[in-house]
Amino acid sequence: MSQPSAGTVTAPAPAVPAPPAATPAVGPGTAPATTAGAEAPRTSSLSTPRRLQLLSAGTVVVGVLVALVGVVTFGLLALVLDRAESDTEQLVRVQSIQTNLLSADATATNAFLVGGLEPAAQRATYDEALSTTSGMIAEAARAQPADATALAELNRQLLDYDAAIEQARANNRQGFPVGAQYLRGASAQLRASALPVLDELVAANAARAGSRMRVGAGAVFPVVVALSLAALVLAQLWLARRFHRRVNPGVLAASVVLLVALLASVVGLARLADGVQGVRSGPFADVNAAAGARIGANDAKANESLTLVARGSGGTFERAWTASAGRVTEQLDVLDRPALDDAWSGYARTHAEIRALDDGGGWDEAVALATGTGAEQANGRFAAVDSGLAEELQTSGEATGNALAGRTPGLVVAALLSLLAGVAVALLGRRGVADRLREYR
């Protein structure tokens, strides 16, 4: 038997096969084993109890979010509409100041036509108009600080105007022709300096009031509720797959609460938007139309008297009367009040008679018709127009304020209900998840 020589390589002994690896036991909630060489699937490090704890906290967060957003949204809407009501009151106040100033000017110029000592009734009307205007300027400055600077300038213009009118009266009582010049100067100063200030105040307050009569921001609440409801539906689906139970009573009840809150808020906000839009296009529009018509009417009446004071050279004032009358007609079309239309038409016919008399050389007859207070004379007919527009302005202003204030109780109730809905969602959702969590204890 031969032996292997030195340097000969011998074959290695066959390797002993390793025993097969033990197959891991597969139990509930355990991931299946992977095959050699295959990439292991990603698994979450969160255990089911931990996920349930997070889900419980999430339902509480959803409930708190719904409560907070509801309270803030409806509370802000109530505050905004309350500010709109205050801005509307300020708008009516400023328009009344403008109307009173033009009414005082119309009274002063009309009384000037009488000559000598002016009628006591017209003097009293003029004094009352200026006194009321001064009080309203102070009230408006307190009500809206943003208007204070402009109102202070207006008050200074008012004092200058009153001083010029007093000079006109003093000269007129003594028969000095220069009195007419003082009167025209006072009226011109009123229109060149004071009325532009009031026009800006009216525009600013109308813009403020109109911009606040919107409820679009209220859409935030139903959006948040809808997202919260979607989150609870997803939670319900996860619970159903994980625990093989179709319904989780607590989460389902929380979802129903959110669904009711969503439907109620959408319907309520839609009705609120319609109501506020109705205020804007209804009584609030009437406030602007009545004030515009009354301002135009008093401006026309003052220009009628100034045309006669000019004695044949008042073409400029007559053109101003025509422009103001057009404004009145336009605003009366918006108001659509047949009684006011008839009253204005009656005054306009009398004015046409005055112009016909004056243009035909009957100045004295024209002045008598312009200063007469009878039912068929200019002052009598104009009084019907002015009092009707003043009543319409007051009625529309009160209707606007009442309509806006009437929304506040509903918004307060909505805020409270949204708070309760949020609390219910938090409690019901947490309880539903807690039932599953107790199965692990």
Side-chain angles (χ1 to χ4, degrees):
M1 183 174 183
S2 63
Q3 299 293 326
S5 61
T8 303
V9 177
T10 61
V16 178
T23 303
V26 178
T30 307
T34 58
T35 58
E39 183 180 358
R42 292 183 178 178
T43 57
S44 172
S45 60
L46 294 179
S47 64
T48 299
R50 179 57 179 162
R51 289 183 177 184
L52 288 173
Q53 289 173 346
L54 292 176
L55 181 57
S56 176
T59 57
V60 173
V61 169
V62 166
V64 172
L65 182 64
V66 168
L68 286 178
V69 172
V71 170
V72 171
T73 299
F74 293 114
L76 283 178
L77 283 178
L79 181 63
V80 167
L81 291 182
D82 180 68
R83 289 300 308 163
E85 179 187 357
S86 300
D87 290 335
T88 302
E89 292 175 354
Q90 180 74 349
L91 174 63
V92 173
R93 201 176 286 119
V94 172
Q95 288 171 331
S96 297
I97 291 172
Q98 191 169 10
T99 305
N100 281 351
L101 269 179
L102 286 170
S103 177
D105 189 58
T107 302
T109 53
N110 192 261
F112 196 88
L113 289 172
V114 177
L117 190 62
E118 61 189 315
Q122 287 186 309
R123 178 58 190 256
T125 301
Y126 172 85
D127 290 341
E128 182 181 358
L130 280 197
S131 175
T132 303
T133 301
S134 297
M136 294 183 72
I137 288 175
E139 184 181 354
R142 289 193 299 269
Q144 178 53 270
D147 297 341
T149 302
L151 288 168
E153 171 62 20
L154 176 65
N155 193 53
R156 189 182 68 78
Q157 296 289 341
L158 178 63
L159 295 176
D160 291 344
Y161 168 78
D162 189 37
I165 288 293
E166 287 302 324
Q167 287 182 307
R169 283 172 172 156
N171 285 279
N172 192 45
R173 281 195 295 269
Q174 300 176 61
F176 297 153
V178 72
Q181 184 60 37
Y182 277 117
L183 180 68
R184 286 192 291 268
S187 293
Q189 178 264 332
L190 180 71
R191 286 161 177 76
S193 302
L195 295 186
V197 174
L198 284 165
D199 286 339
E200 292 179 2
L201 288 174
V202 168
N205 283 284
R208 272 197 292 262
S211 65
R212 288 191 168 110
M213 290 185 197
R214 303 181 189 279
V215 297
V220 172
F221 180 70
V223 168
V224 170
V225 172
L227 293 176
S228 301
L229 179 59
L232 287 192
V233 170
L234 292 176
Q236 184 77 271
L237 293 175
W238 180 80
L239 289 171
R241 286 199 305 268
R242 186 67 186 84
F243 294 94
H244 305 291
R245 296 173 187 174
R246 292 184 178 179
V247 174
N248 181 292
V251 178
L252 177 61
S255 301
V256 170
V257 171
L258 286 179
L259 181 60
V260 172
L262 176 61
L263 296 177
S265 61
V266 169
V267 173
L269 287 171
R271 293 185 61 183
L272 178 64
D274 287 342
V276 172
Q277 180 58 36
V279 173
R280 293 188 62 179
S281 59
F284 183 67
D286 290 345
V287 166
N288 290 305
R294 195 175 180 212
I295 290 168
N298 278 280
D299 194 37
K301 181 61 179 168
N303 279 299
E304 177 185 88
S305 299
L306 288 171
T307 304
L308 293 172
V309 170
R311 288 179 176 266
S313 58
T316 301
F317 300 115
E318 179 56 20
R319 286 191 290 275
W321 186 97
T322 302
S324 298
R327 180 181 182 182
V328 174
T329 303
E330 180 182 345
Q331 297 303 322
L332 287 178
D333 288 342
V334 176
L335 276 177
D336 192 21
R337 302 289 190 273
L340 290 174
D341 291 340
D342 293 342
W344 174 253
S345 297
Y347 164 72
R349 285 195 301 272
T350 303
H351 174 78
E353 294 175 20
I354 292 171
R355 292 310 321 142
L357 290 171
D358 188 26
D359 294 339
W363 186 86
D364 291 331
E365 293 80 0
V367 168
L369 186 58
T371 57
T373 57
E376 301 297 325
Q377 294 176 304
N379 285 349
R381 288 190 178 279
F382 182 78
V385 175
D386 190 54
S387 61
L389 287 172
E391 183 179 354
E392 178 63 35
L393 180 60
Q394 181 179 359
T395 302
S396 300
E398 291 176 353
T400 302
N402 293 337
L404 293 175
R407 268 67 184 177
T408 301
L411 290 171
V412 173
V413 171
L416 293 175
L417 289 177
S418 62
L419 175 62
L420 294 177
V423 172
V425 167
L427 294 177
L428 291 171
R430 187 174 182 276
R431 180 176 179 178
V433 177
D435 290 341
R436 301 286 78 79
L437 191 57
R438 275 195 291 272
E439 296 175 359
Y440 286 84
R441 295 174 180 169

